[in-house]
Amino acid sequence: MEGSIKEILISREEIAERVKVLGEKISRDYFDKKLMVIGILKGSFIFMADLVREITRPLEIDFMLLSSYGNSLQSSGQVNILKDLGQSIRGKEVMIVEDIIDTGLTLKWLTDTLLLREPSSLRTCTLLDKPSRRIVEITPDYNGFIIPDSFVVGYGLDYSERYRNLSDIVIVEP
Ligand code: PRP
């Protein structure tokens, strides 16, 4: 199961420009607050690394490793925490960073789960949004690009664990 690359959907230059704008907006919105940024592995690792360097406010980072899709192309709706946070988020200004929101099942489950830990605030930031695939009603607070219902890889996103290291976001044909 490899898939073949069809075309570039979003170039590395477009990504960099948009990530900078997101970082500026987040810096403005949290100008008087200390942020805790939580990257959701694995898909967000490159976006997270670029985004936090565009945020000019003091921040802490942590990661969670979730698995919802496994190696299939469809979300199962069953989310598992494979690695949890290393600390409490109680009373903190928390922002979840995800590579993509598709059905919304992962982000909905995650926000519900983290809200139980009583952060002072909880926002979400996704690089990509595929609203046409949404099953549960949820809209990220910050989003980089709205994309069509194509299978995309690169910049952290995979197809059966391949292609995460591509610098552009590209469409693959399964
Ligand atoms: C991807 C992505 C989100 C989720 C979004 O994770 O990182 O967590 O799917 O899909 P949804 O909105 O339909 O729930 P995946 O399980 O592919 O793991 P990965 O981040 O390790 O690639």
Side-chain angles (χ1 to χ4, degrees):
M1 211 163 74
E2 292 215 332
S4 61
I5 291 178
K6 203 176 131 203
E7 59 182 287
I8 293 181
L9 181 66
I10 310 169
S11 70
R12 63 196 74 185
E13 293 82 11
E14 290 172 295
I15 297 169
E17 214 171 288
R18 185 71 184 129
V19 172
K20 192 169 168 36
V21 170
L22 285 175
E24 285 165 358
K25 176 150 178 45
I26 292 165
S27 303
R28 279 197 304 276
D29 292 353
Y30 289 86
F31 77 97
D32 57 349
K33 299 196 175 94
K34 188 179 169 206
L35 245 184
M36 163 118 203
V37 187
I38 299 177
I40 307 306
L41 298 171
K42 302 176 202 168
S44 75
F45 78 108
I46 296 179
F47 176 42
M48 173 85 169
D50 285 346
L51 181 68
V52 293
R53 285 179 290 177
E54 298 294 349
I55 299 175
T56 55
R57 305 304 311 155
L59 56 79
E60 289 177 68
I61 65 161
D62 204 342
F63 292 94
M64 287 177 88
L65 174 56
L66 298 185
S67 174
S68 55
Y69 279 23
N71 275 339
S72 88
L73 301 183
Q74 281 278 332
S75 180
S76 59
Q78 173 63 49
V79 180
N80 299 306
I81 298 180
L82 302 180
K83 180 219 166 288
D84 207 334
L85 299 171
Q87 61 205 288
S88 165
I89 56 167
R90 191 166 188 179
K92 294 189 174 171
E93 314 286 345
V94 174
M95 192 173 66
I96 298 170
V97 173
E98 265 282 27
D99 54 339
I100 187 164
I101 177 168
D102 190 325
T103 63
L105 289 167
T106 307
L107 205 53
K108 177 76 173 71
W109 179 89
L110 185 60
T111 50
D112 288 349
T113 300
L114 292 187
L115 279 172
L116 293 175
R117 301 183 188 185
E118 302 181 333
S120 173
S121 68
L122 180 64
R123 286 188 184 170
T124 53
C125 178
T126 53
L127 178 68
L128 306 174
D129 184 358
K130 265 190 205 176
S132 59
R133 298 250 313 157
R134 203 74 94 250
I135 289 176
V136 286
E137 211 174 298
I138 178 167
T139 307
D141 297 296
Y142 305 92
N143 178 61
F145 302 91
I146 289 183
I147 61 166
D149 184 14
S150 306
F151 200 88
V152 292
V153 297
Y155 198 70
L157 291 94
D158 74 311
Y159 182 93
S160 291
E161 296 302 326
R162 243 192 110 186
Y163 302 120
R164 291 196 197 271
N165 58 328
L166 299 181
S167 297
D168 307 297
I169 291 171
V170 306
I171 297 178
V172 284
E173 274 180 348

